[in-house]
């Protein structure tokens, strides 16, 4: 797998991709609670990739209401999926797959946060991984299938892409990007933060089973504190990402 470099700031092409997507979604017609509009974005393996609009946050009251919220979907997969479900799936895979495989999956998700594998065609931006990335996805899927884990990598990546898209529509609709990581980037990076640090903690326990006093709780405590200060998102630092994902992610 090719080496991916940490993205600093927000390069112009990433800003343009996020802007085009926000504009596209803002133009989706608004349905009702009982009959939301069904907006098919793409198809993969015969399965629809779509947004239903409006989403549940549209119907909230007060400051929790978000008029731009949509419900992402990939066929019948991931109904009512929450952060905890994503973390559980990724941690389960991390524990069972070889280190190289789960590191590559996390780097592909990192790339997804910054839309590195999304392409533009007639002002529409779609997840469109290269042949090399698709080959890595297929290899990871083969590892998962060998272990009889019920998990579809490509469909999952499309779902994360939709979640990130929806977060941008909700929190970057002004298109000024004052906080460039708010929305898509913080959200998707938070998806890998927790399982990555839990995996490291589990490995630490195994390696120090006869010397429990050597177990390092620092990273888990830091991320727990960070989540207590934020609204459910807390990506870990670039330094930690590189530490846990090199040689596939580097400065």
């Amino acid at each position: 797998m090719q080496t991916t470099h940490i993205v600093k700031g927000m390069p112009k092409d990433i800003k343009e991709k996020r802007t085009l997507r926000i504009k596209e979604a803002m133009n989706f017609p608004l349905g009702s609670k009982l009959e939301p509009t069904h907006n098919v974005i793409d198809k993969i393996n015969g399965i629809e990739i779509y947004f239903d609009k409006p989403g549940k946050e549209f119907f909230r009251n007060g400051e929790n209401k978000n008029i731009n919220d949509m419900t992402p979907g990939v066929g019948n997969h991931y109904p009512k999926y929450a952060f905890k479900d994503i973390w559980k799936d990724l941690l389960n895979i991390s524990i069972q797959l070889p280190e190289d495989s789960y590191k590559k999956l996390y780097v592909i998700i990192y790339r997804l946060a910054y839309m590195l594998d999304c392409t533009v065609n007639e002002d529409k931006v779609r997840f469109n991984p290269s042949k090399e990335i698709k080959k890595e996805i297929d290899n990871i899927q083969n590892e998962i299938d060998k272990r009889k884990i019920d998990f579809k990598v490509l469909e999952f990546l499309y779902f994360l892409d939709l979640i990130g898209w929806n977060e941008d529509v909700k929190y970057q609709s002004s298109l000024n990007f004052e906080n460039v990581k708010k929305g898509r980037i913080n959200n998707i990076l938070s998806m890998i933060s927790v399982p990555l640090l839990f995996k490291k903690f589990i490995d630490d326990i195994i390696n120090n089973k006869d010397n429990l006093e050597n177990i390092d709780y620092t990273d888990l405590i830091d991320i727990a504190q960070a989540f207590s200060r934020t609204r459910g998102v807390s990506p870990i630092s670039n330094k930690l990402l590189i530490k846990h994902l090199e040689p596939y992610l580097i400065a």
Side-chain angles (χ1 to χ4, degrees):
M1 180 175 176
Q2 67 181 12
T3 299
T4 296
H5 289 267
I6 283 286
V7 178
K8 297 180 180 179
M10 188 169 67
K12 181 180 178 181
D13 66 317
I14 296 173
K15 182 178 180 180
E16 289 175 349
K17 289 176 182 178
R18 295 174 77 183
T19 298
L20 285 171
R21 277 203 158 172
I22 292 167
K23 288 181 177 179
E24 181 182 358
M26 295 285 282
N27 284 324
F28 292 155
L30 181 65
S32 64
K33 189 172 186 177
L34 294 179
E35 294 185 0
T37 58
H38 186 67
N39 304 280
V40 178
I41 306 304
D42 210 337
K43 287 190 176 182
I44 184 69
N45 296 329
I47 297 173
E48 286 186 347
I49 314 295
Y50 64 88
F51 282 118
D52 286 339
K53 184 178 179 179
K56 62 182 181 181
E57 292 182 21
F58 178 90
F59 302 99
R60 292 177 178 174
N61 296 319
E63 63 179 18
N64 291 323
K65 180 182 178 71
N66 195 310
I67 62 173
N68 296 318
D69 184 44
M70 304 178 292
T71 301
V74 177
N76 295 321
H77 298 291
Y78 319 114
K80 299 181 180 179
Y81 245 52
F83 255 124
K84 65 176 183 178
D85 302 301
I86 293 171
W87 290 335
K88 182 179 178 181
D89 280 347
L90 287 176
L91 183 58
N92 182 46
I93 288 170
S94 300
I95 291 171
Q96 298 192 56
L97 292 191
E99 184 177 47
D100 268 4
S101 294
Y102 85 74
K103 280 187 176 184
K104 288 177 180 179
L105 176 59
Y106 280 36
V107 171
I108 292 171
I109 295 173
Y110 176 88
R111 294 173 60 86
L112 191 63
Y114 287 96
M115 307 180 78
L116 301 183
D117 299 307
C118 293
T119 58
V120 182
N121 183 17
E122 296 182 352
D123 289 339
K124 291 188 176 182
V125 183
R126 297 293 183 264
F127 178 51
N128 184 29
S130 66
K131 289 183 179 179
E132 181 188 4
I133 296 296
K134 284 180 180 177
K135 182 179 178 180
E136 294 294 350
I137 292 171
D138 288 342
N139 290 338
I140 295 167
Q141 186 67 61
N142 288 335
E143 293 281 356
I144 288 171
D145 292 343
K146 281 193 297 186
R147 289 160 177 79
K148 296 182 172 21
I149 304 171
D150 184 17
F151 186 85
K152 300 298 182 185
V153 179
L154 190 58
E155 286 83 345
F156 184 72
L157 292 170
Y158 270 93
F159 182 62
L160 297 192
D161 182 45
L162 291 184
I163 292 176
W165 186 345
N166 192 45
E167 290 297 303
D168 265 358
V169 176
K170 286 160 57 177
Y171 299 112
Q172 297 284 9
S173 59
S174 66
L175 301 178
N176 58 29
F177 295 101
E178 290 181 5
N179 180 345
V180 297
K181 288 190 174 182
K182 187 175 184 179
R184 178 187 188 87
I185 296 173
N186 276 344
N187 194 275
I188 294 181
L189 293 185
S190 295
M191 294 174 187
I192 60 176
S193 295
V194 170
L196 193 60
L197 294 182
F198 266 85
K199 176 61 169 62
K200 183 260 183 186
F201 183 60
I202 291 168
D203 290 344
D204 209 21
I205 292 174
I206 294 171
N207 294 333
N208 292 283
K209 63 181 184 297
D210 297 323
N211 299 282
L212 296 180
E213 68 277 6
N214 294 331
I215 295 173
D216 185 2
Y217 303 88
T218 305
D219 290 344
L220 282 185
I221 292 172
D222 286 347
I223 199 167
Q225 183 179 23
F227 271 106
S228 72
R229 296 195 307 263
T230 63
R231 299 182 62 184
V233 292
S234 185
I236 61 177
S237 67
N238 287 341
K239 183 179 179 180
L240 279 178
L241 281 171
I242 292 170
K243 176 184 175 182
H244 294 305
L245 298 177
E246 60 184 357
Y248 305 110
L249 184 67
I250 62 174

